[in-house]
């Protein structure tokens, strides 16, 4: 049985090939009816046109990507990023997205003060959470692999995301994204997933290539790398998560160069074999 009812494709997977309306039409044509949206792509067409296109193709929005980057030590830039995150929350609400993916931000230029960056991010989060709650939008903390801590995310582990959620004492407006690319190596994965039970709002899949050439932009298609994706999926779903499995592949040297219809076809096949584990 080929069941794609819980397959979502994040637009990053066909970033260079398709605009937002093309991705919505293309995924739907392949029988995939859930999409993760990239903000830059949304801004090219505007929210109204995007909503029309989503309606026309019965497409659900799983995630809106991304808000956050709240680590800047310059007060004006920090405020500008807070304001931009509020705009992203508004967009997520208008799109009916299940969550707005929250990426923490790395070290400010010239700084070595990682603890201070983390404190600023937490303060920023505390600032925008009531706005998200008001809008009915869930901010989804995505811990990113520690190798990209310097330039992208001072939130590096699931353990840290669980700690932040406890510290902020937030309601359902704060959740967690589990992305296999970022957490697969963690020796405490099973324990931290259990701790995150009830807070997981999004699950991202791709693969880690043994000979990766870029830590952010050289992700692999499921099955081409070293992650036991089926195992992590089972652990995530054992916590009670019953949502979409969202394929998200950043791939400058391979998948962004391919025919997008071929990318979607292979995505579907690998979803069955390497995410669901069907023979
Ligand atoms: Zn992700």
């Amino acid at each position: 049985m080929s069941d794609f009812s819980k397959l979502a494709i994040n637009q990053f997977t066909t970033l260079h090939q398709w605009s937002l309306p093309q991705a919505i039409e293309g995924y739907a044509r392949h029988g995939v009816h859930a999409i993760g949206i990239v903000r830059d792509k949304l801004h090219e067409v505007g929210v109204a046109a995007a909503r029309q296109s989503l309606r026309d193709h019965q497409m659900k929005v799983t995630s809106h990507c991304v808000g956050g980057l709240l680590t800047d030590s310059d007060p004006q830039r920090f405020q500008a990023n807070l304001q931009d995150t509020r705009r992203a929350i508004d967009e997520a609400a208008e799109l009916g997205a299940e969550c707005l993916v929250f990426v923490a931000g790395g070290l400010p230029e010239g700084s070595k003060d990682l603890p201070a960056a983390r404190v600023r991010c937490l303060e920023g989060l505390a600032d925008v959470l009531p706005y998200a709650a008001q809008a009915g939008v869930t901010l989804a903390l995505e811990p990113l692999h520690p190798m990209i801590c310097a330039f992208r995310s001072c939130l590096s582990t699931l353990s840290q995301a669980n700690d932040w959620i406890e510290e902020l004492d937030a309601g359902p407006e704060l959740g967690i994204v589990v992305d296999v690319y970022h957490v697969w190596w963690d020796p405490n994965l099973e324990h931290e997933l259990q701790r995150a039970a009830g807070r997981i709002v999004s699950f991202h899949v791709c693969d880690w290539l043994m000979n990766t050439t870029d830590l952010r932009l050289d992700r692999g298609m499921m099955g081409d790398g070293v992650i036991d994706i089926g195992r992590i999926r089972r652990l995530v779903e054992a916590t009670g998560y019953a949502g979409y499995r969202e394929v998200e592949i950043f791939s400058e040297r391979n998948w962004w160069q391919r025919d997008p219809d071929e990318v979607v076809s292979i995505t579907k096949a690998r979803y069955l074999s390497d995410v669901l584990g069907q023979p």
Side-chain angles (χ1 to χ4, degrees):
M1 249 307 278
S2 302
D3 182 359
F4 297 106
S5 62
K6 285 195 177 170
L7 168 62
I9 301 181
N10 190 295
Q11 210 194 338
F12 274 119
T13 307
T14 53
L15 186 74
H16 287 356
Q17 300 100 318
W18 275 341
S19 67
L20 180 56
Q22 287 172 327
I24 291 169
E25 186 276 323
Y27 300 166
R29 184 159 34 80
H30 286 270
V32 177
H33 286 277
I35 184 172
I37 288 182
V38 174
R39 285 191 75 204
D40 288 348
K41 294 282 190 180
L42 174 70
H43 298 162
E44 287 171 8
V45 296
V47 171
R51 281 168 55 118
Q52 184 62 49
S53 181
L54 290 163
R55 264 197 306 274
D56 289 347
H57 296 90
Q58 291 105 49
M59 184 72 66
K60 186 176 173 51
V61 180
T62 44
S63 63
H64 191 38
C65 310
V66 300
L69 308 176
L70 301 179
T71 52
D72 219 300
S73 51
D74 175 79
Q76 269 178 354
R77 281 200 299 262
F78 181 79
Q79 284 303 326
N81 286 343
L82 266 183
Q83 194 50 37
D84 190 53
T85 299
R86 290 188 199 101
R87 263 198 303 275
I89 289 169
D90 292 341
E91 292 163 3
E94 286 172 303
L95 294 168
E98 289 188 333
C99 67
L100 172 67
V101 173
F102 183 95
V103 170
L107 279 172
E109 211 178 317
S111 169
K112 296 184 181 183
D113 195 346
L114 186 54
R118 287 177 168 146
V119 167
R120 268 194 304 281
C121 188
L122 260 177
E123 287 170 358
L125 252 179
D127 191 300
V128 294
L129 273 174
Y131 192 86
Q134 184 90 39
V137 168
T138 300
L139 290 184
L141 300 179
E142 185 166 20
L144 304 189
H145 195 286
M147 289 286 271
I148 56 176
C149 179
F151 62 89
R152 193 67 179 157
S153 176
C154 63
L155 175 62
S156 305
T157 62
L158 209 45
S159 158
Q160 194 187 349
N162 281 324
D163 289 348
W164 281 16
I165 284 181
E166 280 175 16
E167 197 164 329
L168 289 162
D169 196 24
E173 67 275 18
L174 189 60
I176 289 181
V177 187
V178 175
D179 184 327
V180 298
Y181 195 73
H182 297 299
V183 304
W184 70 278
W185 56 273
D186 188 342
N188 294 320
L189 180 60
E190 196 165 347
H191 171 71
E192 293 299 336
L193 283 175
Q194 285 163 4
R195 238 183 111 196
R199 287 286 184 177
I200 300 171
V201 293
S202 184
F203 176 53
H204 294 175
V205 295
C206 66
D207 215 336
W208 185 281
L209 299 174
M210 182 62 102
N211 60 347
T212 185
T213 57
D214 187 299
L215 297 167
R216 267 192 80 221
L217 304 180
D218 189 35
R219 294 181 177 208
M221 175 65 68
M222 298 82 73
D224 287 346
V226 297
I227 304 178
D228 186 344
I229 301 164
R231 173 178 170 267
I232 299 178
R233 177 186 62 77
R234 287 190 295 277
L235 289 174
V236 166
E237 291 173 1
T239 69
Y241 177 78
Y244 286 87
R245 300 107 180 191
E246 181 169 325
V247 174
E248 181 190 53
I249 303 175
F250 299 63
S251 173
E252 194 75 70
R253 72 170 165 145
N254 188 0
W255 298 101
W256 287 349
Q257 312 298 331
R258 308 267 283 255
D259 167 14
D261 282 299
E262 184 193 6
V263 175
V264 176
S265 295
I266 296 173
T267 294
K268 288 172 64 185
R270 298 295 182 83
Y271 173 75
L272 295 178
S273 59
D274 291 271
V275 179
L276 300 187
Q278 292 177 3

